[in-house]
């Protein structure tokens, strides 16, 4: 029997663990609600646009607005989540008779994207069976977040909500997520995050994002090809992609012949990447209107309203290498585990290292998890994500210059083999009048062996 003090410590750890799980479940429920409420938020935007147009005096109406001003916006009727038909036309519009006589803007905001969001919700109970959460199939070391995240995802997809008597109500199927009683009030900041994910779909999984992928992913893939020219199917090299987002880069690396693992912290991204990687049946299956919410810098209404189909390829038919996986969890927490030391032949970071509270810690972990002689390929800016967290004195943000970043890398045993600057955009509307461009740092660094590092010192 354990001493009393040990029992109390065990109980405290258990309470802390349950608290952390509860908070994570609450966070995931909030994110799922943001997805489910996307059509409703879009409809509110349409109403806001219409109210502004109606305030125009007649003498100012010298153009054709993208709204049908002959009727009230509410005539479009109530939004419904519909399961796409099984005839292959998975994003068909509802008929005009069923929905009322809506404008083109209403149709784009309230039509096909709601089917996509509905389908995302329907796939949530399968998350615990997919690679996105459990890192299943990877021979490249264990994933701390796997089993625990599976458990939390399963609990959260059960959506534990209490009734007025305090009894726990658990939906019996994914369709129950669509019941309004299980949807939470969604803050505007959460709505914006869903819209950000939609723009990332274009970047990673649409033909329209090919130019941006060529700017960012192609140099990385070419570098991996040149560094690992003779890949062996019996013993393929391992490659980790932290900050994998929607998973396209990690998948492309897998297709080169690597045992590739993407790591992503954001549930917003994880839910969507799981849907694309595991649920899509064929290329071009879904249609979205990613620029519908961008009213500024549009050349024409048709540019703003244009549809985008995704995915541009069918992920399951892309020729991935056995062992491809996606791991959910914080990079520092997951890959600080002793089981990760010296596991990876390559680490690829694309628009990632500036997401750190402490970029030095990121570099230290990258060095630790690489094998001796392993390579770190990086592309991205230094737009430190926590640099402007004003009013939060305990919020840590280490913001180094590129010169200092390279000094830190040298300190942790890296030597630069190649570096250059690559001009690129990030989730940018290619037809917008405003184009934000980065002059991103691109480098290949190699981790020196312990013997070589000792000799150099």
């Amino acid at each position: 029997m354990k001493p009393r003090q040990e029992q109390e410590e065990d109980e405290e750890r258990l309470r802390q663990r349950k608290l952390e799980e509860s908070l994570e479940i609450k966070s995931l429920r909030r994110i799922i609600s943001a997805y489910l409420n996307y059509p409703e938020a879009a409809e509110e935007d349409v109403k806001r646009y219409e109210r502004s147009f109606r305030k125009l005096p007649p003498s100012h109406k010298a153009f054709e607005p993208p709204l049908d001003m002959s009727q009230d916006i509410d005539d479009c009727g109530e939004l419904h989540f519909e399961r796409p038909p099984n005839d292959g036309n998975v994003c068909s519009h509802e008929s005009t008779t069923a929905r009322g006589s809506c404008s083109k803007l209403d149709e784009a905001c309230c039509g096909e994207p709601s089917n996509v969001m509905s389908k995302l919700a329907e796939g949530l109970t399968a998350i615990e069976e997919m690679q996105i959460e459990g890192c299943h199939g990877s021979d490249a070391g264990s994933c701390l977040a796997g089993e625990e995240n599976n458990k939390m995802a399963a609990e959260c997809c059960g959506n534990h909500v209490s009734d007025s008597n305090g009894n726990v109500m658990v939906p019996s199927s994914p369709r129950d997520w669509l019941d309004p009683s299980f949807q939470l009030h969604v803050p505007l900041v959460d709505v914006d995050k869903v819209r950000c994910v939609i723009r990332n779909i274009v970047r990673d999984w649409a033909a329209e994002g090919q130019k941006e992928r060529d700017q960012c992913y192609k140099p990385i893939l070419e570098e991996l090809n040149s560094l690992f020219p003779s890949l062996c199917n019996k013993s393929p090299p391992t490659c980790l992609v932290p900050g994998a987002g929607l998973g396209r880069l990690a998948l492309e690396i897998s297709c080169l012949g690597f045992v590739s693992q993407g790591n992503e912290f954001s549930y917003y991204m994880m839910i969507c990447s799981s849907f694309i990687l595991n649920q899509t049946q064929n290329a071009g299956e879904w249609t979205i209107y990613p620029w519908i919410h961008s009213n500024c810098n549009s050349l024409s209404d048709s540019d703003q309203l244009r549809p985008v189909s995704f995915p541009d390829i069918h992920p399951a038919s892309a020729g991935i290498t056995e062992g491809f996986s996606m791991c959910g969890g914080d990079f520092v927490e997951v890959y600080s585990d002793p089981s990760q030391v010296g596991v990876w032949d390559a680490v690829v970071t694309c628009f990632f290292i500036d997401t750190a509270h402490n970029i030095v810690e990121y570099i230290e972990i990258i060095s630790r998890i690489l094998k001796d002689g392993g390579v770190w390929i990086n592309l991205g800016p230094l737009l430190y994500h926590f640099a402007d967290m004003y009013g939060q004195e305990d919020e840590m943000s280490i913001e180094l210059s590129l010169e200092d970043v390279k000094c830190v890398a040298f300190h942790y045993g890296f030597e630069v083999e190649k570096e250059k600057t690559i001009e690129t955009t990030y989730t940018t509307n290619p037809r917008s009048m405003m184009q934000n461009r980065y002059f991103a740092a691109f480098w290949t660094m190699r981790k020196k062996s312990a013997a070589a590092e000792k000799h150099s010192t």
Side-chain angles (χ1 to χ4, degrees):
M1 187 174 180
K2 289 184 178 181
R4 182 179 180 84
Q5 183 177 353
E6 285 188 25
Q7 286 182 337
E8 291 176 350
E9 290 174 353
D10 288 344
E11 290 173 0
E12 179 59 32
R13 280 193 292 269
L14 180 61
R15 280 194 296 269
Q16 188 64 31
R17 180 179 175 183
K18 287 185 176 180
L19 175 61
E20 290 174 358
E21 288 181 1
S22 175
L23 291 173
E24 187 152 1
I25 290 168
K26 182 178 180 181
S27 175
L28 182 53
R29 283 188 55 220
R30 173 175 167 173
I31 292 166
I32 293 169
S33 294
Y35 273 107
L36 293 175
N37 281 273
Y38 169 83
E40 180 180 316
E43 188 179 24
E44 286 300 315
D45 272 354
V46 175
K47 292 178 181 179
R48 180 173 61 84
Y49 303 157
E50 188 196 42
R51 286 195 296 269
S52 296
F53 280 121
R54 288 187 181 279
K55 292 177 182 178
L56 280 173
S59 61
H60 289 182
K61 296 178 180 178
F63 61 94
E64 187 66 31
L67 296 163
D68 183 356
M69 305 300 293
S70 64
Q71 60 177 2
D72 191 275
I73 192 70
D74 290 328
D75 289 344
C76 287
E78 185 179 354
L79 281 172
H80 297 283
F81 288 103
E82 299 289 345
R83 178 183 292 275
N86 293 322
D87 59 3
N89 186 18
V90 293
C91 286
S92 60
H93 289 290
E94 295 171 307
S95 67
T96 305
T97 305
R99 299 185 67 244
S101 179
C102 295
S103 70
K104 190 173 182 182
L105 182 59
D106 305 330
E107 187 78 7
C109 277
C110 307
E112 293 172 357
S114 66
N115 279 339
V116 177
M117 297 306 163
S118 175
K119 192 67 176 177
L120 276 166
E122 289 174 0
L124 288 172
T125 54
I127 286 179
E128 69 272 16
E129 300 173 3
M130 300 174 186
Q131 292 176 340
I132 183 76
E133 295 285 358
C135 305
H136 304 308
S138 174
D139 297 321
S142 62
C143 174
L144 293 176
E147 188 174 322
E148 198 60 40
N149 273 356
N150 286 346
K151 178 174 178 287
M152 286 186 282
E155 288 179 344
C156 194
C157 290
N159 196 20
H160 295 186
V161 179
S162 298
D163 61 18
S164 57
N165 296 320
N167 300 315
V168 175
M169 302 157 57
V170 181
S172 59
S173 73
R175 298 292 296 175
D176 292 334
W177 275 101
L178 308 183
D179 189 304
S181 65
F182 285 93
Q183 296 182 32
L184 307 174
H185 171 70
V186 179
L188 289 178
V189 65
D190 291 0
V191 173
D192 285 340
K193 289 177 181 177
V194 173
R195 294 175 181 178
C196 177
V197 170
I198 292 173
R199 294 193 295 273
N200 272 273
I201 291 175
V202 180
R203 171 181 168 87
D204 263 19
W205 295 103
E208 190 167 304
Q210 185 64 55
K211 181 179 179 182
E212 202 166 273
R213 291 196 298 274
D214 285 345
Q215 292 170 348
C216 294
Y217 298 168
K218 191 175 180 179
I220 292 171
L221 298 172
E222 290 176 345
E223 185 71 359
L224 283 171
N225 255 334
S226 68
L227 293 169
F228 298 86
S230 303
L231 297 181
C232 176
N233 292 332
K234 291 184 178 180
S235 182
T238 56
C239 182
L240 176 67
V241 187
L246 297 185
R248 181 60 178 266
L249 179 58
L251 179 136
E252 295 285 357
I253 292 172
S254 175
C255 292
L256 292 180
F258 289 80
V259 175
S260 171
Q261 181 174 102
N263 164 242
E264 179 55 48
F265 175 72
S266 168
Y267 269 129
Y268 285 95
M269 293 290 189
M270 290 163 61
I271 289 170
C272 188
S273 65
S274 174
F275 168 68
I276 294 172
L277 291 170
N278 299 293
Q279 299 294 304
T280 52
Q281 301 301 311
N282 50 266
E285 184 175 358
W286 301 96
T287 300
I288 54 175
Y289 295 84
W291 317 116
I292 193 71
H293 308 291
S294 305
N295 294 324
C296 300
N297 293 303
S298 293
L299 290 171
S300 68
D301 292 343
S302 60
D303 280 349
Q304 183 184 8
L305 299 171
R306 71 185 185 277
V308 171
S309 297
F310 77 96
D312 62 318
I313 61 171
H314 180 220
S317 305
I320 60 176
T321 302
E322 184 178 355
F324 171 63
S325 61
M326 293 286 286
C327 175
D330 177 74
F331 172 69
V332 172
E333 291 183 9
V334 173
Y335 296 95
S336 292
D337 188 77
S339 66
Q340 294 291 327
V341 174
V343 164
W344 302 94
D345 294 294
V347 173
V348 167
T349 52
C350 184
F351 278 76
F352 172 71
I353 61 173
D354 56 354
T355 66
H357 284 279
N358 179 1
I359 190 172
V360 179
E361 186 175 35
Y362 270 20
I363 296 170
E364 179 187 20
I365 293 172
I366 292 171
S367 175
R368 187 187 305 144
I369 65 179
L370 276 171
K371 298 176 181 178
D372 285 349
V375 295
W376 172 25
I377 302 173
N378 174 76
L379 187 149
L382 294 174
L383 183 67
Y384 293 103
H385 287 208
F386 298 98
D388 297 325
M389 301 295 286
Y390 299 113
Q392 299 186 28
E393 295 180 1
D394 59 340
E395 193 72 64
M396 185 179 187
S397 180
I398 304 299
E399 300 137 24
L400 304 182
S401 68
L402 179 58
E403 181 181 24
D404 289 339
V405 168
K406 289 188 284 189
C407 286
V408 172
F410 179 78
H411 174 76
Y412 283 102
F414 286 104
E415 54 186 0
V416 178
E417 291 192 345
K418 180 185 292 186
E419 61 177 323
K420 61 180 178 179
T421 298
I422 293 178
E423 186 177 353
T424 183
T425 57
Y426 189 89
T427 65
T428 294
N429 180 354
R431 300 189 195 176
S432 172
M433 296 168 67
M434 184 178 74
Q435 301 285 323
N436 290 323
R437 308 194 69 81
Y438 294 93
F439 294 92
F442 176 80
W443 68 65
T444 299
M445 295 188 186
R446 190 175 296 274
K447 179 184 174 182
K448 293 181 286 188
S449 67
E453 189 171 0
K454 185 177 181 180
H455 179 72
S456 65
T457 55

